[in-house]
Structures are given as C-alpha cells and as structure tokens.
C-alpha cells in the first residue's frame, strides 16, 4: 500500500513539474507579453518578469518596446523642377500599444517600412532640388507626419525621420559645380572692385593732402626708393617727373635754333630804268647791247584778288562782274631787323 502511494506521489510531482515547465514564461524588461486565450485577446498585458499561462489554451506574444532603427531603401523620383534624384532615408519608431501592434496589423515592421517608402516618393515629387539639398529639416517633418498618421492605429509611434543621402546625376553635379564657381567668381570680382574703390578714395585724399605740401611728394619718392632697394634687387626703378622732361626738351629746342642773319640794305636802284641800261661815261659800249631794241622796263601795278589769274596778259584788265567787290590788297607788316632774332624760321611774323 505504501509503495502504491509513493508511486502516485511521484507521478503527481512529475506531472506538476512538467506543467510548470510548460506554463512558465519569462518576459524581458524591454518586452511586453500579449496573451491570446483560445484565440481571444486576454485583458491584461503581461509585464516584464516571470509569468504563467495555460498550456495548450493560452498563446503568449512578446512585443519589443525598444526604439527600432529602420533604413528606408533608396527611392528614385523626379522633383518638382524635373530633376531625377535618388533619395534614401532612415526612420526611428517604437511600439507604444502592444495589443494594437499584435491585433491591428499583421507585421508592423513591414507596414512601417512600406509606408516610409511611399511617403518618401511623395515628398520627392512635391519638393524642389534646392529643398532636398538645403531645407531637409522641413522635409523631415513633413515625412514624419505622413508616416505617423496611419501608424497611430497600429500602436506605433514615429520618433524621427531623416533623409540620409541625395544622389544626383553626373550632368547635374557638373552644372551645379559650374554655377558655384561662377557665383564665387562674381563675389571675388565684387570684393576686388570694392577694394579698388576704397583704395582710389584713399589715394585721392593722399593726393589732395600732398598738393598742399610739395615736399611730401619728394619724401614719398624717397620712401619708394628705399622700399625697392631693400629687396636686394640688381635693377632699381626710379620714377622721373614728366614736367622735368618737358622743361629739358624746351631748353634743348632753344639751343638748337641759330640766330637769324642781319638784314642787308638793298642796293639803291636808279629812278630811271633807261639810265641803268646806258654805260657809264668813259666806258666802251657793248655793240651787242646797242643792237637790242629798247625795252619797256616800267612796272605795272596790279591789284591782288582772291580770284584765279586770267589767261590774258596782265595789261588786259578783265572787268569785274556787277555786285562783286574788289578785294583789298594784303598789307604786309613792316620788317624790323631787330626782331629777326626772336622770330621763327617757319613763321617769320610770330614769336616763340
């Protein structure tokens, strides 16, 4: 009898041990347990620690409550300004309602991944290229709202969404590089022009200040010579005033001009032209001269006009047309021998 009791006791203990091993569950600190009893959701969500279920009746689903980092595959799209880009992102989310994450959606991870991909494509089509490159914070917020709206019913909370990389075509990269280079060159030219303007103002002020003190220009010249000589150069560039060159040129021209010769008195001519042709008394007459006919050596006075000379001889005067006044003869100034030395050879009636 005692032997039978011992056998029954051992069987009961073994059965209890097997039941305990089958019903015992351990829920970790970052997990929550959702129990489905005969297919229906149990009221309480099992907290972390040791818990027991009914073997064969209850089914325990453990849900991870940690923040999940999920990369979003790169998506090809066309921006609003017709630029083909390839954008990938990363999403951070966590489960806040374990029962909804188990009951409302089959696989909440896969659902969040697909929603992130579709939302990313939608954001690419609504944005410009400049926004994707420079204003990512605004795009991240918009993408987070688009994913979080349906995820609330799944018991999932979206913590953060970040656009990780934007890949551009090579042609677009070269165009952007040229644009950046042109913009930098423009800014460099503007800065250089501004510097030239400021330097010109300072130089104008310095020139105005030096104009009051002529010795300041000479001192500045000496400072320039000292600065150039300090470089230990074999060639010394010395600026030379242009006014001094002009003064030396005028002095050289004055030395090269010789004094004009003194005017010789003209020989007296006889008042009677016929007397000049007769030989002096006591001198033999030339028979060749005697045979020549008598020549009329009288001088005919002719009026100078601006009209061309006529073909007819001077003796035949051409009558002036009616209404045309006769030009007055040009009166030449009297020649003074004393003023010959101060006159130019090219312009005898002008002074230097």
């Amino acid at each position: 009898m005692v032997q039978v009791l011992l056998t029954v006791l051992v069987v009961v203990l073994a059965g209890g041990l097997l039941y305990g091993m089958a019903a015992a569950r351990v829920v970790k600190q970052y997990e929550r347990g959702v129990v489905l009893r005969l297919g229906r959701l149990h009221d309480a969500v099992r907290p972390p620690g040791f818990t027991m279920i009914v073997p064969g009746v209850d089914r325990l689903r453990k849900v991870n409550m940690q923040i999940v980092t999920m990369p979003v595959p790169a998506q090809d799209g066309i921006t609003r300004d017709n630029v083909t880009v390839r954008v990938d992102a990363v999403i951070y989310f966590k489960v806040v309602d374990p029962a909804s994450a188990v009951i409302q959606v089959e696989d909440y991870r896969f659902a969040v991944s697909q929603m992130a991909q579709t939302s990313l494509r939608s954001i690419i089509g609504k944005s410009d290229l400049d926004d994707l490159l420079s204003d990512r914070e605004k795009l991240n917020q918009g993408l987070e709202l688009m994913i979080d709206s349906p995820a609330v019913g799944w018991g999932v909370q979206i913590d953060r969404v970040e656009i990780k990389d934007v890949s551009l075509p090579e042609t677009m990269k070269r165009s952007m590089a040229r644009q950046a280079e042109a913009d930098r060159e423009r800014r460099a030219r503007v800065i250089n022009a501004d510097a030239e303007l400021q330097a010109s103002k300072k130089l104008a002020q310095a020139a105005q200040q030096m104009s009051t003190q002529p010795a300041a220009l000479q001192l500045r010249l000496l400072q320039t010579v000292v600065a150039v000589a300090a470089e230990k150069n074999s060639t010394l560039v010395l600026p030379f005033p242009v006014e001094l060159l002009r003064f030396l040129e005028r002095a050289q021209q004055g030395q090269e001009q010789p004094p004009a010769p003194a005017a010789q008195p003209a020989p007296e001519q006889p008042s009677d032209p016929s007397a000049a042709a007769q030989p002096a008394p006591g001198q033999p007459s030339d028979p060749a001269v005697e045979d020549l006919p008598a020549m009329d050596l009288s001088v005919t006075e002719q009026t100078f006009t601006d009209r061309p000379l006529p073909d007819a001889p001077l003796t035949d005067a051409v009558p002036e047309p009616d209404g045309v006044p006769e030009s007055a003869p040009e009166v030449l100034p009297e020649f003074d021998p004393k003023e010959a030395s101060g006159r130019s050879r090219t312009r005898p009636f002008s002074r230097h």
Side-chain angles (χ1 to χ4, degrees):
M1 186 66 182
V2 176
Q3 186 177 1
V4 174
L5 292 176
L6 291 176
T7 303
V8 172
L9 182 60
V10 170
V11 172
V12 171
L13 292 177
L17 182 60
L18 293 176
Y19 178 82
M21 293 177 62
R25 295 290 186 273
V26 175
V27 179
K28 298 180 181 178
Q29 181 65 38
Y30 54 85
E31 293 177 344
R32 298 295 184 270
V34 178
V35 179
L36 298 176
R37 180 168 295 174
L38 297 177
R40 299 182 63 180
L41 177 65
H42 197 268
D43 296 340
V45 176
R46 303 297 173 90
F50 180 79
T51 183
M52 297 289 294
I53 62 173
V54 179
V57 178
D58 295 342
R59 185 178 178 185
L60 181 65
R61 294 279 302 272
K62 297 180 181 179
V63 180
N64 193 337
M65 304 296 292
Q66 292 178 321
I67 295 178
V68 180
T69 303
M70 178 181 294
V72 181
Q75 303 296 316
D76 295 329
I78 300 177
T79 61
R80 191 167 55 181
D81 50 355
N82 299 326
V83 179
T84 304
V85 294
R86 186 179 180 87
V87 183
D88 57 351
V90 58
I91 181 172
Y92 302 90
F93 67 93
K94 65 180 179 179
V95 177
V96 294
D97 188 359
S100 299
V102 174
I103 301 300
Q104 300 295 332
V105 62
E106 180 182 1
D107 187 355
Y108 65 91
R109 288 175 177 266
F110 181 75
V112 171
S113 176
Q114 295 299 316
M115 180 58 65
Q117 295 180 28
T118 55
S119 301
L120 182 58
R121 290 185 179 182
S122 178
I123 285 292
I124 292 174
K126 295 179 181 179
S127 305
D128 295 332
L129 179 61
D130 294 338
D131 296 336
L132 288 175
L133 297 176
S134 59
D135 196 7
R136 292 189 180 182
E137 187 66 27
K138 182 179 179 181
L139 297 180
N140 293 336
Q141 294 177 0
L143 187 60
E144 179 180 349
L145 291 176
M146 294 179 66
I147 302 175
D148 190 53
S149 298
V152 172
W154 304 336
V156 178
Q157 179 182 355
I158 306 299
D159 285 347
R160 191 176 183 86
V161 180
E162 292 286 345
I163 296 177
K164 187 166 57 176
D165 187 21
V166 178
S167 299
L168 300 175
E170 293 298 328
T171 55
M172 181 58 63
K173 290 181 180 179
R174 289 193 293 267
S175 300
M176 295 177 65
R178 288 195 299 268
Q179 179 183 0
E181 184 179 359
D183 184 65
R184 290 183 179 275
E185 185 177 357
R186 177 185 62 83
R187 286 187 292 177
R189 289 183 178 181
V190 170
I191 294 173
N192 191 13
D194 191 12
E196 291 291 339
L197 177 61
Q198 295 180 4
S200 62
K201 291 181 180 179
K202 294 299 181 181
L203 289 175
Q205 294 178 3
Q208 184 178 5
Q209 186 68 22
M210 288 183 180
S211 62
T212 58
Q213 297 293 335
L217 184 60
Q218 186 66 21
L219 293 176
R220 183 59 183 166
L221 176 61
L222 295 177
Q223 290 178 358
T224 304
V225 173
V226 171
V228 174
E231 299 294 335
K232 297 180 181 180
N233 295 328
S234 58
T235 302
L236 180 61
V237 179
L238 182 63
F240 203 74
V242 181
E243 290 77 6
L244 183 58
L245 294 177
R246 294 177 179 175
F247 174 77
L248 296 177
E249 182 180 0
R250 289 195 297 267
Q252 184 178 3
Q253 291 179 358
Q255 293 178 0
E256 289 179 356
Q257 293 179 358
Q264 298 292 336
E268 296 182 0
Q269 297 181 358
S271 59
D272 189 4
S274 60
Q278 296 178 359
Q283 292 183 358
S285 61
D286 192 355
V289 175
E290 292 179 358
D291 296 339
L292 294 175
M295 298 177 63
D296 187 7
L297 299 178
S298 61
V299 178
T300 303
E301 183 178 358
Q302 185 71 21
T303 304
F304 292 91
T305 61
D306 294 337
R307 297 179 302 167
L309 295 177
D311 297 337
L314 297 177
T315 57
D316 299 337
V318 179
E320 294 286 339
D322 296 339
V324 179
E326 190 175 70
S327 301
E330 183 180 0
V331 179
L332 299 178
E334 297 181 358
F335 179 77
D336 190 0
K338 295 181 180 180
E339 296 181 358
S341 60
R343 294 179 180 175
S344 173
R345 289 178 292 179
T346 57
R347 293 184 179 181
F349 297 101
S350 61
R351 296 179 180 271
H352 288 285

